[in-house]
Amino acid sequence: MFSSRRSTSASLPSQSFWGKFKKKDKESEFRERQAQMALARQRLLTLAYEDMETVRVLPNSFPELEAVARDWTKPPPDAIFGLRVPVEFASLHASRLVSGPYIYLTGEDSYQIAIMGVQGLRVEIVSDAPPPPDEPPPPPPPPVTEMPATFNLELVPGQHVVLETTVASADDVDMARMEDGTVVDGQFWGKLNIVHDGGNHTVDFTGTRIVNPDVPPDMLFDSRVMSKLTTAAKPSSVKCHLSILSPAQQYCDVILSVNPLWRLELTWPPAQPVNETKVKYFLRVHPGGALEHFESEMVTTSLYYEAVPDPAMVDPNDFIAPRNGYAMSFRDFVPHLMSVLDQLGMSMHARTNFINNNISAFSAHKNIAYRFLSPSKIAAAIDISVTSDPCVFTRLFLIFRGLSDDDVGLFAGAGEKEANSVNWREIVGWSENSKDTTQFRLLETSVFEVS
């Protein structure tokens, strides 16, 4: 019997011992390692505490998880501290074993069961500790003890010199901060008065000095700032226009009487004072609406006057509230007001003049709340009498104020939709006779912004 000493690999397993010594490609090993790292990075952890959340890499063990959670919340040593996982974020095996909405992590076993086969985990922190502190504020800027200054000086008429120097603070005081620590930034304005006294040359700052025994005499203020404060402190006034439409030329007296809590600030043409609360106009009116004022020898189409109420009686929240007013955005308010004025019988020309005269005040606000006063309330503040009988009075008194976006929510049931359904003719006492050209008619439009 013959036998051959040759052998084949057919009877050997495909993965033999010698295959382990096969040289691998370094590039393929690197790609495999990168793929494994990419898969590992997909296991993320979402930590949630009250209404705050953060994302971290999912730890491999429960002690590491607890350390990460404590490092984020930094609870006091005696605070209650626990970790739980909503069942919808835990592994399928773990969610089947509980009937409640959470799996509470109490150790390594519960943690490993919860993360078995999941690519991400949400862990909620249960604690009575305060929320995690915010990021620390950036360090304050260094103090400013010196700053450059440029002065334009006129030595003699027509001869100017530019002086560039450095202004230094006394006692190294930070010139970029006010006394209360507020940081100021920008350009500073002042006035320099250079005094020549022999060989001594001194520079004094000149501003607005306050006359008050309680204020030190060397205390100075910028005059421009004082003028702005004076303007801001000026009380709001009611601006009124009075037109008279007569069927024929005739003479008449118009008497304005104000409540003692009101004060007439301005009349044009100038009215004749009767007493502290009453003024009078002597006019000749024409059918076309022209008014001849004899004292000033002027011809105009309307009388203008302003009245200021006692500031103590003006409460914006009481004058215009959801119970008596309506609110809407500025863009909706102007077309809405045009429609209301049309309902009240004003002509296109009169409506346009009314809007144009007040559009600047309206546009200063993003949202506007308004109302029209009844004739009795208007007469209680400013009463009008005319020496012509009969006379048809139409008095439109608009009160409005600006609203923030938060305040608009208070007018949830008093918006544009509700304002469109109001019978404004009934509120202002409008009469069909105001359109009768055979009647002696008087039209007054007043606007009052409360703030």
Side-chain angles (χ1 to χ4, degrees):
M1 182 176 181
F2 296 95
S3 63
S4 174
R5 295 183 179 180
R6 293 179 299 174
S7 63
T8 65
S9 61
S11 60
L12 296 178
S14 59
Q15 298 296 332
S16 64
F17 171 78
W18 303 103
K20 297 181 180 180
F21 295 94
K22 183 179 179 181
K23 186 177 181 180
K24 293 185 178 180
D25 187 6
K26 292 184 179 180
E27 184 177 354
S28 61
E29 291 182 357
F30 176 76
R31 290 179 178 177
E32 183 179 356
R33 191 181 305 112
Q34 288 291 100
Q36 294 177 354
M37 293 176 63
L39 290 175
R41 284 197 298 268
Q42 291 181 0
R43 291 169 61 88
L44 300 178
L45 168 68
T46 300
L47 283 176
Y49 183 53
E50 293 186 353
D51 58 345
M52 294 173 294
E53 295 180 344
T54 184
V55 178
R56 305 293 173 88
V57 178
L58 184 65
N60 295 324
S61 62
F62 178 75
E64 295 177 1
L65 171 66
E66 188 176 13
V68 170
R70 288 183 177 274
D71 179 69
W72 180 52
T73 56
K74 296 179 174 57
D78 55 345
I80 299 174
F81 191 85
L83 303 174
R84 69 185 184 187
V85 179
V87 292
E88 58 267 22
F89 291 93
S91 64
L92 182 61
H93 303 284
S95 61
R96 288 179 175 177
L97 299 176
V98 295
S99 59
Y102 300 104
I103 299 175
Y104 284 83
L105 304 180
T106 57
E108 186 66 27
D109 294 340
S110 58
Y111 177 63
Q112 294 299 332
I113 295 173
I115 66 174
M116 185 184 304
V118 299
Q119 297 299 327
L121 190 67
R122 178 182 179 86
V123 176
E124 298 180 357
I125 300 173
V126 182
S127 176
D128 59 354
D134 297 332
E135 294 293 330
V144 178
T145 57
E146 293 184 356
M147 64 172 62
T150 303
F151 303 103
N152 295 320
L153 309 177
E154 186 177 7
L155 301 181
V156 294
Q159 182 179 358
H160 296 268
V161 175
V162 177
L163 175 63
E164 294 184 355
T165 182
T166 300
V167 177
S169 65
D171 301 328
D172 294 332
V173 177
D174 189 358
M175 293 188 291
R177 293 182 179 273
M178 300 175 64
E179 294 181 355
D180 59 355
T182 304
V183 178
V184 293
D185 184 15
Q187 297 180 348
F188 302 89
W189 178 88
K191 179 182 178 182
L192 291 175
N193 183 19
I194 299 181
V195 180
H196 301 273
D197 184 11
N200 298 326
H201 304 280
T202 61
V203 179
D204 297 330
F205 175 79
T206 301
T208 301
R209 191 180 302 274
I210 294 181
V211 182
N212 190 329
D214 298 330
V215 178
D218 57 346
M219 189 173 186
L220 301 172
F221 285 87
D222 187 341
S223 59
R224 296 192 301 182
V225 174
M226 291 300 297
S227 63
K228 292 179 180 179
L229 292 175
T230 304
T231 303
K234 183 179 179 180
S236 300
S237 61
V238 180
K239 299 174 175 59
C240 308
H241 294 82
L242 180 64
S243 302
I244 300 177
L245 302 175
S246 175
Q249 182 184 116
Q250 68 179 86
Y251 295 89
C252 71
D253 288 338
V254 177
I255 300 175
L256 304 177
S257 303
V258 297
N259 188 286
L261 295 176
W262 289 71
R263 182 180 72 257
L264 280 174
E265 280 285 300
L266 172 66
T267 60
W268 187 260
Q272 177 185 353
V274 177
N275 53 43
E276 294 181 357
T277 61
K278 185 182 296 185
V279 297
K280 183 178 70 172
Y281 285 98
F282 178 62
L283 307 169
R284 179 164 60 186
V285 297
H286 297 265
L291 308 176
E292 291 185 62
H293 185 233
F294 291 97
E295 186 174 352
S296 63
E297 298 181 353
M298 294 184 61
V299 180
T300 181
T301 58
S302 65
L303 306 177
Y304 177 81
Y305 46 93
E306 293 184 5
V308 178
D310 184 359
M313 62 171 284
V314 179
D315 183 2
N317 296 323
D318 184 59
F319 272 40
I320 306 176
R323 69 177 185 277
N324 56 22
Y326 304 89
M328 60 198 71
S329 66
F330 161 71
R331 292 186 176 275
D332 296 332
F333 174 73
V334 175
H336 169 76
L337 183 59
M338 285 286 285
S339 176
V340 172
L341 296 178
D342 185 27
Q343 297 176 27
L344 298 177
M346 292 185 65
S347 64
M348 176 67 71
H349 180 73
R351 296 197 304 268
T352 303
N353 284 343
F354 185 90
I355 296 296
N356 291 347
N357 291 338
N358 301 284
I359 190 65
S360 178
F362 295 156
S363 62
H365 308 287
K366 185 178 180 181
N367 305 290
I368 295 176
Y370 83 102
R371 63 182 287 210
F372 281 95
L373 291 185
S374 62
S376 60
K377 292 184 179 295
I378 302 174
I382 306 173
D383 195 16
I384 301 176
S385 60
V386 182
T387 57
S388 179
D389 189 25
C391 179
V392 180
F393 287 85
T394 303
R395 306 187 68 180
L396 306 180
F397 197 112
L398 172 69
I399 303 181
F400 77 96
R401 67 183 176 99
L403 296 178
S404 64
D405 291 336
D406 294 334
D407 292 338
V408 172
L410 301 176
F411 290 78
E416 183 182 5
K417 179 180 178 181
E418 290 76 13
N420 288 331
S421 62
V422 175
N423 187 353
W424 292 109
R425 290 187 173 187
E426 181 179 355
I427 291 178
V428 303
W430 184 85
S431 172
E432 287 288 346
N433 293 331
S434 63
K435 292 185 176 181
D436 189 355
T437 57
T438 63
Q439 299 279 344
F440 189 93
R441 295 165 293 162
L442 183 146
L443 173 63
E444 181 197 44
T445 56
S446 305
V447 178
F448 183 31
E449 179 181 5
V450 292
S451 58

